[in-house]
């Protein structure tokens, strides 16, 4: 049997198996015939390429390229993972990998930074959300897949990688030579802003993030009774769905945290809160911005819908889809978008994002220059082939524009920050505002202590 026939029969066999094993079979024999016809076209093209292309081709590599093209035409987050790429992904979810520390996506066929991870080499080098990576080690990234780019950006600790960056407002490319390092396992950091008011920053969602958060909260409580907490999810690109559910559960005692809806029944799930563990009754302000994506949007949406937190900052990224990692027989993997997720109120944030209760642009940041939040920073809705919103589970009216902090009148004229706190927060007006709001909420509610 020649190569053409082998490939064609393998493709037909795989399709037949997928159809018989699927809960969502094709609707009619006409649809099935159409699928077989299109697969025959693919096999014919492959045969012609094998026989007539100027050089000998690697058939496996060519078919993998076709698979990658098929998945990239679906949405920006579905991809094929070679065995080595699949292993790297598994390492990343454990929180230990060596690289420069950025979350990337593809926009207009160009690699674009969603967010640098705090305190990583990329963050320290000054890379920002929205930066476009034009070259990696002199090689153009035009039409380069994320998997290929990640492989080039990662490497052994102590090695260097040079990338050429274009940023809005720059006339020329700028080169950054960055020394790779082990990206920190711990994704949670905490501190006391001033007596009674705590601060927790979550940089991404890994397997151990929920436990790290619980440990941080215990330490903050040891410092004294907490009267309020700022939960900082700015530039948090997301991570594991399970981790975000566990983190939301820490603050919630009951009710739905997030639900998912897909084409298949087993993709329709609800994740609910439990009453076990400490009860935290202090007010919470969550900080978000355009780099707040995916799992971090799940946490913000859950706490907001249950009226456990006030959201402050600017519109989030809007990645409201769920990717399932499907292992393949040869060690490869398939990262496939299988569902949209919905906040407890039945709201899909896909391609729309979380709208803050109070709009507080960050002073001095390019993203926040427009006081009404109409920014130039890219979001999920700007990505080619992005998944549509899908609508809400329950009908909802159009959301009004969030008020600015001046319009909201949330800050009482009775609150102030001491000089030491002002000095510590002087370069972060969003965090300063969040602390003032927390103190005002305590004055209004009359709550002076909470445990």
């Amino acid at each position: 049997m020649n190569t053409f026939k082998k490939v064609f029969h393998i493709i037909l066999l795989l399709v037949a198996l997928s159809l018989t094993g699927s809960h969502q079979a094709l609707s009619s024999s006409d649809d099935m015939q159409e699928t077989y016809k299109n697969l025959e076209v693919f096999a014919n093209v492959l045969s012609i390429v094998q026989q007539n292309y100027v050089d000998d081709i690697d058939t496996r590599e060519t078919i993998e390229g076709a698979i990658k093209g098929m998945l990239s035409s679906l949405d920006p987050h579905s991809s094929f993972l070679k065995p080595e790429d699949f292993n790297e992904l598994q390492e990343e979810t454990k929180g230990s990998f060596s690289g420069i520390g950025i979350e990337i996506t593809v926009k207009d066929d160009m690699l674009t930074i969603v967010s640098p991870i705090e305190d990583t080499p990329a963050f320290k080098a000054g890379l920002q959300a929205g930066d476009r990576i034009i070259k990696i080690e002199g090689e153009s990234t035009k039409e380069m897949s994320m998997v290929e780019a990640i492989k080039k950006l990662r490497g052994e600790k102590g090695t260097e990688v040079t990338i050429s960056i274009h940023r809005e407002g720059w006339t020329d490319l700028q080169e950054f030579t960055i020394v790779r390092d082990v990206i920190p396992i711990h994704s949670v950091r905490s501190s006391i802003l001033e007596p009674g008011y705590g601060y927790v920053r979550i940089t991404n969602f890994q397997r151990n993030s929920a436990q790290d958060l619980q440990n941080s909260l215990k330490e903050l409580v040891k410092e004294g009774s907490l009267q309020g907490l700022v939960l900082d999810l700015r530039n948090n690109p997301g991570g594991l769905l399970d981790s975000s559910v566990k983190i939301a559960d820490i603050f919630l005692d009951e009710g739905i945290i997030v639900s998912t809806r897909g084409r298949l029944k087993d993709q329709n799930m609800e994740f609910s809160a439990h009453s076990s563990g400490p009860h935290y009754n202090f007010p919470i302000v969550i900080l978000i911005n355009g780099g707040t994506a995916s799992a971090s949007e799940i946490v913000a949406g859950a706490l907001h819908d249950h009226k456990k937190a006030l959201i402050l900052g600017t519109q989030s990224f809007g990645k409201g889809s769920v990717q399932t990692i499907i292992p393949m027989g040869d060690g490869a993997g398939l990262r496939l978008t299988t569902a949209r997720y919905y906040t407890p109120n039945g709201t899909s944030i896909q391609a729309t994002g979380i709208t803050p209760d109070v709009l507080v642009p960050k002073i001095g940041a390019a993203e926040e220059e427009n006081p009404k939040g109409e920014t130039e920073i890219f979001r999920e809705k700007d990505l080619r082939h992005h998944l549509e919103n899908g609508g809400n589970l329950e009908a909802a009216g159009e959301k009004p524009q969030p008020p600015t902090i001046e319009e909201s009148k949330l800050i009482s004229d009775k609150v102030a920050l001491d000089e030491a706190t002002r000095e510590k927060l002087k370069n972060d007006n969003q965090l300063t505002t969040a602390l003032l709001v927390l103190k005002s909420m305590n004055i209004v509610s009359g709550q002076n202590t909470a445990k």
Side-chain angles (χ1 to χ4, degrees), residues 38-66:
N38 290 330
L39 287 172
E40 187 173 3
V41 171
F42 171 79
N44 280 330
V45 170
L46 179 61
S47 178
I48 292 169
V49 170
Q50 286 175 318
Q51 294 173 26
N52 296 282
Y53 188 67
V54 63
D55 294 319
D56 288 336
I57 67 166
D58 184 321
T59 302
R60 181 186 180 91
E61 194 173 289
T62 304
I63 292 175
E64 283 181 355

Side-chain angles (χ1 to χ4, degrees), residues 112-216:
T112 308
I113 298 176
V114 173
S115 176
I117 300 172
E118 190 171 331
D119 281 347
T120 61
F123 182 88
K124 293 173 182 176
L127 297 185
Q128 298 179 8
D131 285 351
R132 296 196 174 191
I133 304 175
I134 306 302
K135 296 179 182 178
I136 301 175
E137 294 292 354
E139 180 182 347
S140 172
T141 60
K142 183 73 172 175
E143 298 182 355
M144 183 183 289
S145 72
M146 285 194 293
V147 172
E148 291 173 302
I150 289 169
K151 188 179 295 185
K152 292 179 182 296
L153 291 171
R154 289 186 182 172
E156 292 185 11
K157 176 182 176 180
T159 59
E160 293 183 344
V161 60
T162 300
I163 58 178
S164 302
I165 293 291
H166 177 265
R167 184 176 297 168
E168 192 73 29
W170 287 359
T171 54
D172 299 311
L173 297 182
Q174 290 196 22
E175 285 195 348
F176 291 75
T177 298
I178 303 173
V179 179
R180 299 180 179 98
D181 200 354
V182 175
I183 305 306
I185 293 176
H186 295 292
S187 59
V188 179
R189 296 198 178 117
S190 62
S191 63
I192 292 291
L193 296 173
E194 68 174 49
Y197 294 93
Y199 170 82
V200 171
R201 166 95 174 114
I202 304 178
T203 57
N204 52 22
F205 291 84
Q206 304 292 351
R207 292 182 184 178
N208 55 352
S209 296
Q211 186 59 56
D212 289 346
L213 175 60
Q214 287 179 323
N215 294 338
S216 294

Side-chain angles (χ1 to χ4, degrees), residues 178-370:
I178 303 173
V179 179
R180 299 180 179 98
D181 200 354
V182 175
I183 305 306
I185 293 176
H186 295 292
S187 59
V188 179
R189 296 198 178 117
S190 62
S191 63
I192 292 291
L193 296 173
E194 68 174 49
Y197 294 93
Y199 170 82
V200 171
R201 166 95 174 114
I202 304 178
T203 57
N204 52 22
F205 291 84
Q206 304 292 351
R207 292 182 184 178
N208 55 352
S209 296
Q211 186 59 56
D212 289 346
L213 175 60
Q214 287 179 323
N215 294 338
S216 294
L217 290 171
K218 286 178 184 177
E219 290 300 315
L220 290 175
V221 170
K222 280 182 184 178
E223 297 281 338
S225 296
L226 277 181
Q227 299 175 43
L229 178 74
V230 176
L231 182 60
D232 191 349
L233 300 179
R234 292 174 297 178
N235 296 320
N236 181 325
L240 297 174
L241 171 65
D242 182 57
S243 176
S244 68
V245 169
K246 288 178 180 177
I247 283 176
D249 196 8
I250 290 172
F251 299 104
L252 299 174
D253 297 327
E254 61 180 0
I256 295 172
I257 293 173
V258 66
S259 60
T260 64
R261 295 290 182 272
R263 287 177 60 208
L264 305 182
K265 257 188 176 179
D266 59 7
Q267 292 161 353
N268 299 337
M269 297 180 285
E270 286 186 351
F271 300 86
S272 298
H274 307 85
S275 59
S276 58
H279 297 276
Y280 298 114
N281 298 317
F282 44 73
I284 300 171
V285 172
I286 297 177
L287 290 176
I288 66 171
N289 66 2
T292 302
S294 191
S296 53
E297 293 175 294
I298 288 177
V299 173
L303 269 59
H304 178 264
D305 283 5
H306 283 288
K307 304 189 186 306
K308 286 285 187 177
L310 181 142
I311 311 293
L312 187 149
T314 54
Q315 195 82 7
S316 66
F317 185 78
K319 182 182 177 295
S321 60
V322 179
Q323 281 70 47
T324 301
I325 307 299
I326 304 170
M328 308 293 281
D330 59 353
L334 197 61
R335 183 180 182 184
L336 190 65
T337 299
T338 54
R340 294 177 177 86
Y341 72 73
Y342 295 80
T343 69
N345 286 349
T347 302
S348 168
I349 66 157
Q350 171 60 23
T352 59
I354 298 281
T355 301
D357 295 304
V358 185
L359 179 66
V360 180
K362 186 171 176 63
I363 294 174
E367 171 198 348
E368 321 286 1
E369 287 177 357
N370 189 311

